[in-house]
């Protein structure tokens, strides 16, 4: 029964998707609100159908229904429940279904929250319907998870041991939420541009959806990095692997968009750039899925080649052409409303941020597809190694970090060169002191010194700006400093959420520099009771032993460690032999402090005599990456949540600014614009 | 007004120059030819350079010493093969008949010395023996 329901739901979803498209186009042509209302309900039905199909697949994986080919290949009876759930997206078909499901749900939310003229709503709906139908058709025709097995097996093949990691449960859904989420800003843009909308109110929704998608994408990437860090053979938390790059590309353009879109909202500039960034980010999300799913580029994470590559390529081509055509056709609407008055102002900094991020995107894209490009022009392909990315992306990232340091000190349309010099004096002095301290501590590495300098300056600027503003506010309103600080943040979520995010990114940079430049690695052959020393840690092999778990047996080493400052414990690296897998796989053991990670792997052992080979790595500052990630996430969430405390200004019936984000009213012509501006100014007080 | 445009242009130009310089430096450092094994063996031009090779792990004379962090094996192409000595952590999925990518340089002993080994194991992510065309599922 579940199989039939799943199959029929997919078939119907394709039809309903197409219907939504036709109905929304018809509603524009006939100016019929009735058709639009049908189309909206059609979208709800589409989401319902995809949800049903997903639920059926989920039931099948949980019940290990081996009538399905897909279930047979990715589960086994003894698989723990969490991984049975995750087996849903372990393969091609299921991953695409997850993508489609998330897209369908987000589309419905977007459609029902969309406040705009009927025509704009209809165009947005049509754009969403195209993407939704594409995914539904792709799954039904090229990657159907409900394909029956030729023979019903007694037990399944089990989930690949490398995928039996908590990362498998959380990383793909987060990443796909980010990917699917960036479809919404694209659809909103299509609606706004095609309906010829002239104001900037629609950008609030674009920004809200972009921040949310960006947040999920960031969390997804970080979870992936964490997983790759503990999985041997994936080259650490970041290896510039094509699959990793595929997720980074839309993140980079998405980050650029979050900055440049504010210039359009506040000043009516950079419209063309924003339109391009919205389109490119969406296209890169599709491209990323294509890259990981088509197997065109060699990767450690390859997922197998298949026909769906062709589907994706055609869809990509259509999207690119349509976007270019749309932006070209609406180029008159995308002219700036005013000229830039100064480079050393906020708009200049946002523009520079945008361009630098685009540069990083282009570098990463070229590096990723270099084997393909060079394959066209030369007889043999050329691939670029990690050092290509590190030498190019590294300096540009530090430049971006330096821009973060100036962020809070800049104003729109005002040359602040003189005050900038004044305001930067103290932070630079602190930064020099920090760099000097690093030098004295024996750190003479150029990357570390420059990164330390920039990060110190930026953190001081952000902190001083915040404390000073909170102080002024508290004094003016006769509040205590803590309440003043909270109200300050509540008064401008976007600004202070952004600053918190910047602090997170700076921590991340420190972590990356520390762990990439100062990592120590050594292999030890130890007998029980023997000790070895690495980077201030003493390691002692306690014993080797065999253990049995639910679906694997393992050989494990009990390694006692003691650091020079007295922290002690036991690490248990394993080599696991999964029942359903021919290869053994390593499970590493890690202990973390804020200063460094001790990373221990059981490389091998002698059957007799209990001698083990242990690889130990001391990775400084890795935990800064993860904590930076948490801080970054917190910052993003501050940006997203609506204002908590109502306005003090007498403004009846005026909802909080951030809450209005997704429910903007139909445009009230020119007066609406002026109205919006005055509200902004009040908020900033 | 014009001075703003000029400043922006100059800024963009400087940025472009700097990044191009970085990119060229990066490419020089990280430029690796990659090719199928047969072509590498047939054409000596690239044998003095660091390259990335793609082939299958031969079953005969396969030595895997996980404890010693050493793998010595024959990398096989369509018709040619080459002896490879790899030092480093051995990936979990390294074994005979699997497709691997190695990066390194040919030594004077005619053995390819690799310091990077990637297991390409599409068949394990995309389940084994997955037939690409199968009769349409009729429920």
């Amino acid at each position: 029964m579940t199989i039939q329901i799943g199959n029929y739901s997919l078939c119907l979803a394709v039809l309903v998707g197409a219907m939504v498209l036709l109905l929304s186009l018809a509603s524009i042509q006939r100016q019929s609100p009735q058709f639009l209302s049908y189309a909206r309900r059609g979208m709800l039905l589409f989401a319902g159908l995809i949800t049903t199909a997903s639920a059926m697949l989920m039931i099948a994986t949980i019940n290990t229904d081996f009538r399905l080919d897909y279930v047979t290949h990715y589960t086994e009876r003894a698989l723990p429940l969490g991984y049975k759930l995750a087996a849903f997206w372990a393969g091609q078909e299921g991953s695409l279904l997850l993508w489609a499901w998330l897209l369908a749900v987000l589309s419905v939310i977007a459609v029902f929250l969309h406040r705009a003229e009927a025509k704009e709503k209809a165009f947005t709906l049509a754009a969403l319907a195209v993407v939704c139908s594409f995914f539904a058709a792709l799954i039904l025709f090229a990657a159907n998870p409900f394909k029956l097995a030729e023979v019903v097996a007694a037990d399944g093949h089990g989930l690949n041991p490398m995928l039996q990691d908590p990362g498998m449960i959380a990383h793909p859904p987060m990443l796909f939420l980010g990917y699917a989420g960036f479809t919404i800003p694209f659809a909103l843009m299509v609606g706004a541009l095609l309906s010829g909308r002239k104001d900037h109110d629609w950008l609030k929704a674009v920004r809200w959806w972009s921040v949310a998608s960006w947040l999920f994408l960031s969390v997804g990437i970080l979870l992936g990095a964490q997983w790759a860090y503990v999985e041997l053979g994936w080259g650490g938390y970041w290896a510039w692997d094509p699959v990793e790059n595929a997720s980074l590309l839309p993140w980079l353009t998405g980050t650029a968009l979050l900055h440049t879109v504010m210039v359009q909202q506040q000043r009516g500039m950079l419209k063309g750039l924003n339109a391009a960034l919205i389109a490119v980010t969406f296209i890169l999300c599709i491209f990323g899925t294509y890259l990981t799913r088509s197997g065109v580029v060699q990767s450690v994470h390859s997922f197998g080649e298949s026909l769906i590559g062709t589907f994706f390529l055609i869809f990509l081509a259509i999207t690119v052409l349509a976007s270019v055509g749309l932006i070209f056709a609406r180029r008159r609407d995308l002219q700036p409303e005013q000229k830039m008055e100064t480079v050393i102002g906020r708009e200049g900094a946002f523009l520079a941020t945008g361009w630098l991020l685009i540069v990083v995107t282009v570098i990463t894209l070229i590096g990723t597809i270099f084997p393909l490009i060079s394959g066209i022009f030369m007889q043999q392909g050329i691939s670029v190694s990690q050092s290509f990315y590190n030498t190019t992306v590294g300096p540009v990232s530090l430049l971006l970090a330096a821009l973060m340091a100036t962020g809070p000190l800049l104003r729109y349309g005002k040359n602040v060169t003189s005050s900038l010099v004044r305001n930067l004096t103290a932070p630079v002095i602190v930064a020099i002191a920090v760099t000097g301290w690093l030098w004295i501590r024996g750190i003479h590495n150029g990357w570390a010194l420059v990164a330390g300098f920039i990060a110190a300056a930026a953190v001081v600027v952000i902190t001083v700006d915040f404390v000073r503003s909170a102080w002024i506010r508290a004094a003016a309103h006769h509040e205590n400093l803590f309440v003043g600080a909270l109200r300050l943040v509540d008064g401008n979520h976007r600004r202070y959420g952004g600053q918190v995010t910047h602090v997170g990114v700076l921590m991340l940079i420190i972590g990356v520099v520390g762990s990439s430049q100062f990592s120590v690695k050594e292999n030890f052959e130890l007998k029980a009771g023997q000790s070895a020393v690495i980077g201030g840690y003493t390691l002692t092999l306690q014993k080797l032993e065999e253990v049995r778990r639910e679906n694997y047996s393992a050989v494990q080493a009990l390694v006692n460690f003691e650091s020079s400052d007295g922290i002690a414990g036991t690490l248990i690296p394993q080599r696991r032999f999964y029942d359903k897998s021919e290869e053994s796989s390593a499970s590493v053991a890690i202990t973390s402090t804020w200063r460094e990670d001790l990373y221990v792997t059981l490389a091998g052992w002698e059957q007799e005599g209990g001698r083990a080979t242990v690889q130990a790595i001391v990775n400084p500052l890795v935990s800064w990456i993860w904590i930076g990630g948490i801080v970054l996430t917190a910052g993003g969430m501050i940006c997203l949540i609506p204002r908590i405390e109502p306005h003090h200004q007498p403004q009846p019936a005026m909802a909080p600014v951030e809450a209005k984000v997704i429910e903007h009213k139909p445009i009230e012509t020119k007066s609406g614009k002026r109205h919006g501006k005055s509200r902004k100014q009040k908020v900033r007080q | 007004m014009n001075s703003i445009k000029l400043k922006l242009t100059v800024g963009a130009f400087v940025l472009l120059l700097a990044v191009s310089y970085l990119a060229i430096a990066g490419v020089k450092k990280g430029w690796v030819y990659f090719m199928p094994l047969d072509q590498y063996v047939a054409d000596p031009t690239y044998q003095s350079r660091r390259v990335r090779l793609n082939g299958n792990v031969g079953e005969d004379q396969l030595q895997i010493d996980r404890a010693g962090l050493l793998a010595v094996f024959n990398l096989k192409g369509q018709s040619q093969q080459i002896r490879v000595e790899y030092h480093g952590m051995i990936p979990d999925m390294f074994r005979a008949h699997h497709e691997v990518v190695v990066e390194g340089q040919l030594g004077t002993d005619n053995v390819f010395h690799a310091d990077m080994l990637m297991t390409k194991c599409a068949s394990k992510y995309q389940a084994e023996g997955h037939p690409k065309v199968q009769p349409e599922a009729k429920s």
Side-chain angles (χ1 to χ4, degrees):
Chain A
M1 218 20 210
T2 49
I3 299 172
Q4 282 96 319
I5 295 174
N7 254 324
Y8 289 134
S9 306
L10 281 179
C11 291
L12 282 175
V14 176
L15 291 176
V16 170
M19 285 286 282
V20 173
L21 176 61
L22 291 177
L23 279 170
S24 42
L25 291 179
S27 84
I28 297 163
Q29 217 219 337
R30 305 217 173 163
Q31 300 188 331
S32 151
Q34 197 61 37
F35 278 9
L36 181 61
S37 144
Y38 287 147
R40 279 157 62 105
R41 280 180 228 163
M43 191 46 114
L44 192 61
L45 181 61
F46 177 86
L49 288 166
I50 295 286
T51 308
T52 312
S54 308
M56 292 305 125
L57 184 63
M58 184 75 49
I59 290 170
T61 54
I62 290 173
N63 291 339
T64 52
D65 186 345
F66 296 129
R67 286 177 297 162
L68 287 183
D69 208 33
Y70 188 79
V71 176
T72 317
H73 278 120
Y74 297 105
T75 62
E76 59 177 307
R77 291 187 198 283
L79 199 66
L81 181 65
Y83 294 127
K84 275 184 187 161
L85 288 172
F88 182 102
W89 48 82
Q92 185 115 279
E93 296 85 351
S95 313
L96 290 171
L97 185 56
L98 177 67
W99 218 119
W101 178 68
L102 293 168
L103 176 65
V105 172
L106 293 179
S107 297
V108 167
I109 298 174
V111 163
F112 282 87
L113 288 176
H114 197 192
R115 297 283 174 271
E117 280 177 39
K119 198 175 167 194
E120 186 183 346
K121 277 183 187 171
F123 275 123
T124 299
L125 193 51
L128 287 172
V130 169
V131 186
C132 285
S133 310
F134 163 72
F135 272 97
L138 177 73
I139 294 165
L140 182 66
F141 297 119
N144 191 338
F146 296 104
K147 193 162 67 181
L148 293 176
E150 280 168 358
V151 187
V152 178
D155 198 3
H157 301 187
L159 189 61
N160 182 337
M162 279 189 148
L163 302 184
Q164 294 194 32
D165 180 281
M168 180 63 194
I169 297 172
H171 160 70
M174 285 290 162
L175 205 63
F176 286 172
L177 259 174
Y179 281 173
F182 273 119
T183 311
I184 311 294
F186 179 73
L188 290 172
M189 178 187 78
V190 171
L193 288 190
L194 280 182
S195 63
R197 191 166 174 168
K198 300 278 188 293
D199 68 336
H200 308 138
D201 242 19
W202 62 279
L203 286 169
K204 280 187 196 162
V206 165
R207 199 184 126 90
W208 192 89
W209 280 102
S210 302
V211 172
S213 311
W214 177 90
L215 196 55
F216 283 117
L217 196 56
S218 308
V219 172
I221 292 173
L222 283 161
L223 286 171
Q226 166 98 54
W227 185 10
Y229 178 60
V230 301
E231 197 70 59
L232 215 60
W234 282 356
Y237 56 77
W238 196 261
W240 294 107
D241 184 85
V243 169
E244 293 169 348
N245 293 350
S247 62
L248 185 67
L249 291 169
W251 185 87
L252 290 167
T253 53
T255 311
L257 173 66
L258 295 184
H259 292 88
T260 54
V261 78
M262 290 190 279
V263 182
Q264 184 173 349
Q265 283 179 295
Q266 305 273 1
R267 312 283 290 176
M269 291 187 281
L270 309 184
K271 290 181 181 177
L273 179 64
N274 286 325
L277 281 172
I278 293 171
V280 166
T281 306
F282 167 66
I283 290 165
L284 285 173
C285 286
I286 301 287
F287 177 74
T289 316
Y290 162 69
L291 206 62
T292 44
R293 295 286 150 205
S294 64
V296 286
V297 179
Q298 287 183 353
S299 152
V300 268
H301 310 280
S302 66
F303 299 90
E305 299 164 29
S306 79
L307 285 172
I308 64 162
T310 323
F311 270 74
F312 265 111
L313 220 49
I314 293 168
F315 185 64
L316 269 173
I318 294 170
T319 328
V320 170
L321 287 177
S323 304
V324 171
L326 175 66
I327 292 171
F328 184 75
R330 290 285 180 245
R331 62 191 181 283
R332 289 223 178 81
D333 290 347
L334 296 171
Q335 291 302 316
E337 285 158 26
Q338 51 181 319
K339 290 237 169 80
M340 198 176 259
E341 287 152 33
T342 170
V343 181
I344 317 288
R346 197 174 275 180
E347 52 272 68
F350 280 144
L351 184 63
T353 306
W355 278 112
L356 285 173
L357 283 163
I358 291 169
V359 164
V360 178
T361 313
V362 172
I363 293 171
T364 312
L365 184 65
I366 289 176
T368 309
I369 59 171
F370 210 75
L372 297 178
I373 307 173
S374 59
I376 297 169
F377 297 108
M378 282 176 253
Q379 213 183 3
Q380 65 290 311
I382 295 163
S383 67
V384 291
S385 59
Q386 291 194 24
S387 58
F388 164 75
Y389 297 101
N390 294 340
T391 42
T392 44
V393 175
V396 182
S397 308
L398 289 179
L399 214 54
L400 279 163
L403 272 175
M404 285 180 207
T406 62
L409 306 175
L410 300 170
R411 298 287 173 267
Y412 279 116
K414 214 167 118 185
N415 191 326
V416 287
T417 317
S418 55
S419 72
L420 198 62
V421 171
R422 185 159 26 89
N423 284 321
L424 275 175
T425 313
V428 164
I429 291 171
V430 175
I432 290 172
V434 168
T435 316
W437 177 75
L438 287 174
W439 181 274
I440 292 164
R441 289 282 310 265
I443 293 167
H444 299 163
N445 178 302
W447 287 106
L449 293 174
V450 175
F453 180 88
I454 293 172
V459 169
V460 172
V461 169
I462 292 168
T463 316
V464 167
D465 169 71
F466 181 69
V467 173
R468 188 198 278 160
S469 308
W471 198 285
I472 292 169
R473 194 205 140 90
H477 290 77
H478 308 290
E479 300 158 343
N480 75 45
L481 193 57
F482 182 67
V483 175
L486 283 183
R487 288 217 166 109
L488 183 71
V489 174
D490 198 30
N492 200 341
H493 282 247
R494 187 166 83 185
R495 174 177 182 139
Y496 294 103
Q499 296 308 328
V500 172
T501 307
H502 281 179
V503 172
V505 173
L506 291 165
M507 291 179 72
L508 221 142
I509 290 176
I510 291 170
V512 169
V513 170
S515 55
S516 63
Q517 302 294 313
F518 301 100
S519 162
V520 201
K521 179 159 91 177
E522 246 182 286
N523 300 307
F524 304 108
E525 223 173 81
L526 298 173
K527 272 188 184 168
Q530 277 185 335
S531 297
V533 178
I534 178 170
Y537 286 89
T538 309
L539 305 178
T540 313
L541 179 68
Q542 194 185 328
K543 63 173 175 182
L544 262 175
E545 62 183 15
E546 273 188 51
V547 290
R548 173 71 210 169
R549 295 282 182 272
E550 216 168 339
N551 58 343
Y552 65 87
S553 53
V555 173
Q556 61 183 27
L558 275 66
V559 182
N560 295 337
F561 69 90
E562 201 184 334
S563 72
S564 46
D565 42 0
I567 301 164
T570 307
L571 288 171
I572 310 176
Q574 293 179 323
R575 180 152 286 277
R576 294 179 179 174
F577 300 88
Y578 282 87
D579 302 341
K580 300 285 162 160
S581 175
E582 289 163 59
E583 298 93 1
S584 62
S585 61
S587 163
V588 303
I590 303 169
T591 176
S592 283
T593 64
W594 68 271
R595 290 168 61 142
E596 64 216 353
D597 274 19
L598 174 63
Y599 185 111
V600 179
T601 321
L602 178 60
W605 60 90
E606 274 176 13
Q607 296 295 353
E608 314 288 327
R611 193 205 291 266
T613 305
V614 171
Q615 183 178 68
I617 309 173
V618 176
N619 276 331
L621 305 179
V622 173
S623 48
W624 285 59
I625 299 176
W626 317 131
I627 297 168
I630 293 167
V631 173
L632 176 154
T633 310
M637 284 165 79
I638 293 174
C639 289
L640 283 178
I641 53 171
R643 195 184 166 124
I644 295 158
E645 211 177 34
H647 271 275
H648 295 299
Q649 278 80 13
Q651 274 199 344
M654 184 59 80
V657 170
E658 294 289 337
K660 296 283 287 181
V661 160
I662 38 179
E663 38 164 351
H664 53 66
K665 290 179 291 188
I667 330 132
E668 296 139 288
T669 64
K670 289 159 212 155
S671 63
K673 207 162 38 179
R674 226 174 285 136
H675 186 69
K677 235 179 212 166
S678 69
R679 195 168 70 216
K680 279 269 155 43
Q681 280 158 358
K682 266 168 200 154
V683 172
R684 238 187 278 142
Q685 282 166 1
Chain B
M1 274 331 121
N2 243 345
S3 84
I4 297 289
K5 256 195 180 155
L6 186 73
K7 275 183 196 168
L8 280 176
T9 317
V10 170
F13 189 66
V14 170
L15 179 69
L16 203 71
L17 269 181
V19 172
S20 317
Y21 170 75
L22 286 174
I24 290 165
V27 164
K28 268 189 184 162
K29 257 204 215 169
W31 175 284
V32 181
Y33 285 97
F34 84 91
M35 54 189 77
L37 181 80
D38 297 282
Q39 196 192 333
Y40 178 72
V41 175
D43 183 359
T45 336
Y46 300 100
Q47 291 180 3
S48 56
R49 293 187 204 190
R50 192 178 160 82
V51 292
R52 192 179 276 202
L53 298 176
N54 193 357
N56 283 308
V57 180
E59 193 171 11
D60 47 327
Q61 295 177 292
L62 171 65
Q63 295 171 33
I64 302 178
D65 178 6
R66 286 192 193 275
L69 304 173
L70 174 73
V72 188
F73 57 98
N74 294 324
L75 188 69
K76 293 189 160 176
Q78 302 283 340
S79 58
Q80 309 278 355
Q81 67 171 34
I82 196 171
R83 193 82 183 143
V84 177
E85 199 178 301
Y86 163 73
H87 285 272
M89 209 64 192
I90 293 159
D92 289 337
M93 297 212 217
F94 178 76
R95 67 182 172 115
H97 306 304
H98 271 190
E99 196 185 347
V100 293
V101 177
V102 289
E103 194 178 306
Q105 203 164 358
L106 197 68
T108 45
D109 51 356
N110 239 10
V111 171
F112 189 85
H113 294 269
D115 49 28
M116 196 278 297
L117 190 154
M118 241 166 47
T119 41
K120 276 259 297 171
C121 196
S123 63
K124 278 311 258 183
Y125 290 106
Q126 183 62 37
E128 256 168 87
H130 206 83
K132 275 186 184 157
V133 194
Q134 219 180 356
E136 191 66 40
K138 286 203 183 98
S139 38

